[in-house]
């Protein structure tokens, strides 16, 4: 993920991730970036790309709610 330019998702390896309110649009762009490379990420991690996509669905839904509310995102 780092090689793709991901900033937040590599931090999920054992850490909580906080996305500030003003960073939510950039965070949503990172989700889109990862979605475009699910096969590559799945191959590199040994995780089924479909499973990664489902996790991204949940995280994206939270980020979209946060954007509507003018809030940030916390992932643990």
């Amino acid at each position: 993920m780092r090689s793709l330019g991901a900033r937040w998702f590599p931090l999920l390896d054992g850490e909580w991730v906080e996305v500030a309110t003003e960073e939510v649009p950039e965070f949503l762009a990172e989700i889109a970036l990862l979605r475009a490379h699910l096969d590559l990420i799945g191959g590199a991690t040994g995780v089924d790309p479909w499973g990664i996509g489902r996790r991204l669905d949940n995280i994206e839904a939270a980020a979209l709610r946060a954007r509507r509310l003018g809030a940030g995102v916390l992932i643990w």
Side-chain angles (χ1 to χ4, degrees):
M1 288 187 193
R2 288 182 203 279
S3 66
L4 296 172
R7 172 181 166 193
W8 288 282
F9 283 89
L11 300 175
L12 284 173
D13 186 20
E15 300 290 329
W16 289 18
V17 173
E18 283 189 66
V19 181
T21 304
E22 64 275 6
E23 295 175 316
V24 170
E26 194 176 333
F27 183 66
L28 287 165
E30 184 168 311
I31 292 170
L33 171 72
L34 297 180
R35 281 192 192 283
H37 296 90
L38 287 179
D39 288 334
L40 177 65
I41 296 166
T45 62
V47 177
D48 182 354
W50 183 85
I52 297 168
R54 296 291 299 158
R55 291 183 186 114
L56 286 176
D57 289 345
N58 292 334
I59 294 168
E60 183 176 39
L64 289 170
R65 277 191 304 275
R67 184 175 65 182
R68 272 194 316 272
L69 295 170
V73 178
L74 175 65
I75 305 168
W76 71 92

